[in-house]
């Protein structure tokens, strides 16, 4: 959040009136949670955010996201280590600490954040890029938010300004998705 405010206020940045935010996986959670905080405090900076690119978006509660990535054998070891606050084991699993995981597990699910932003900041231009073969996050959850949003919009209720693209790719997407992201950004940089 501080970096975003800095970028907007630096006088000699050419495009500081056109802010782009990119969040992949847990970075999507960080980005959208920051945007929700800015929306709730009615920050003017939101007007300068032209594009939000999200990929590998974990919409479900983070505990569920982590659990879905573990086999039964791994799950027992992982949750035992988590309850013991065993950072050595947890770092070997995913380079994360107990403290990090506890905060992530306590955070509001991104699905709820997105629905809140439909009310608090419906003007945000959100572009989601999702791999259909993503083993880390649920593609079904992405389709569910897409369906929810269409129902909301049809009923003239608060909805997101969101576009979702699907790719034959895994969690880290593929070259086609990356090229599409770059094209979107370049398109916005070329407009006034």
């Amino acid at each position: 959040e501080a970096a975003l405010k800095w970028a907007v206020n630096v006088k000699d940045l050419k495009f500081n009136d056109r802010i782009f935010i990119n969040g992949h996986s847990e970075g999507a959670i960080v980005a959208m949670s920051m945007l929700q905080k800015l929306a709730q405090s009615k920050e003017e900076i939101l007007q300068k955010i032209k594009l939000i690119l999200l990929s590998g978006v974990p919409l479900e509660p983070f505990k569920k996201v982590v659990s879905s990535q573990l086999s039964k054998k791994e799950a027992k070891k992982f949750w035992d280590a988590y309850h013991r606050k065993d950072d050595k084991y947890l770092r070997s699993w995913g380079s994360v600490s107990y403290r990090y995981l506890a905060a992530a597990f306590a955070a509001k699910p991104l699905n709820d954040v997105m629905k809140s932003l439909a009310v608090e900041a419906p003007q945000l231009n959100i572009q989601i890029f999702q791999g259909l073969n993503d083993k880390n996050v649920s593609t079904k959850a992405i389709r569910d938010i897409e369906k929810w949003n269409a129902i909301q919009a049809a009923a003239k209720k608060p909805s997101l300004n969101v576009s979702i693209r699907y790719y034959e790719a895994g969690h880290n997407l593929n070259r086609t998705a990356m090229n599409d992201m770059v094209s979107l950004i370049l398109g916005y940089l070329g407009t006034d």
Side-chain angles (χ1 to χ4, degrees):
E1 186 179 334
L4 180 60
K5 288 180 180 181
W6 171 86
V8 168
N9 292 312
V10 172
K11 301 291 182 225
D12 54 349
L13 282 180
K14 184 173 181 181
F15 295 112
N16 68 351
D17 63 332
R18 288 180 252 174
I19 303 296
F20 306 95
I21 294 177
N22 184 25
H24 175 74
S25 199
E26 294 162 60
I29 295 171
V30 172
M32 297 308 285
S33 297
M34 175 195 66
L35 290 170
Q36 183 180 34
K37 183 178 174 186
L38 292 171
Q40 288 171 341
S41 61
K42 310 266 190 262
E43 294 279 345
E44 289 180 28
I45 198 169
L46 286 176
Q47 304 311 315
K48 294 185 178 194
I49 297 171
K50 302 301 179 196
L51 187 61
I52 301 155
L53 303 168
L54 304 175
S55 57
V57 184
L59 290 172
E60 299 173 309
F62 202 63
K63 261 189 183 176
K64 185 173 182 179
V65 171
V66 169
S67 292
S68 71
Q69 296 175 31
L70 301 169
S71 69
K72 285 186 179 186
K73 184 179 177 183
E74 290 173 320
K76 174 148 179 39
K77 288 181 185 177
F78 176 86
W79 291 112
D80 285 349
Y82 176 77
H83 292 297
R84 287 191 320 271
K85 300 179 183 180
D86 182 348
D87 277 343
K88 184 176 179 182
Y89 178 86
L90 295 172
R91 287 182 193 283
S92 73
W93 175 79
S95 299
V96 293
S97 67
Y98 168 81
R99 186 173 168 198
Y100 173 87
L101 287 167
F105 294 156
K108 188 175 183 180
L110 192 49
N111 187 56
D112 295 346
V113 171
M114 299 281 272
K115 289 178 179 179
S116 294
L117 284 170
V119 174
E120 297 161 349
Q123 80 282 1
L124 292 175
N125 180 0
I126 303 167
Q127 304 289 317
I128 297 177
F129 298 79
Q130 180 61 40
L132 292 169
N133 305 314
D134 192 331
K135 304 283 190 239
N136 294 13
V137 300
S138 169
T139 299
K140 180 187 178 308
I142 301 288
R143 292 197 188 277
D144 288 348
I145 197 82
E146 185 176 34
K147 183 178 177 181
W148 172 86
N149 198 59
I151 291 168
Q152 290 289 105
K156 306 273 189 246
K157 293 182 178 177
S159 60
L160 297 163
N161 176 17
V162 65
S163 176
I164 303 172
R165 295 167 183 81
Y166 297 94
Y167 299 86
E168 287 297 330
H171 187 64
N172 292 323
L173 297 174
N174 57 25
R175 185 174 298 257
T176 302
M178 297 302 163
N179 288 340
D180 288 349
M181 287 183 195
V182 169
S183 293
L184 262 174
I185 293 169
L186 292 175
Y188 275 89
L189 288 175
T191 62
D192 291 312

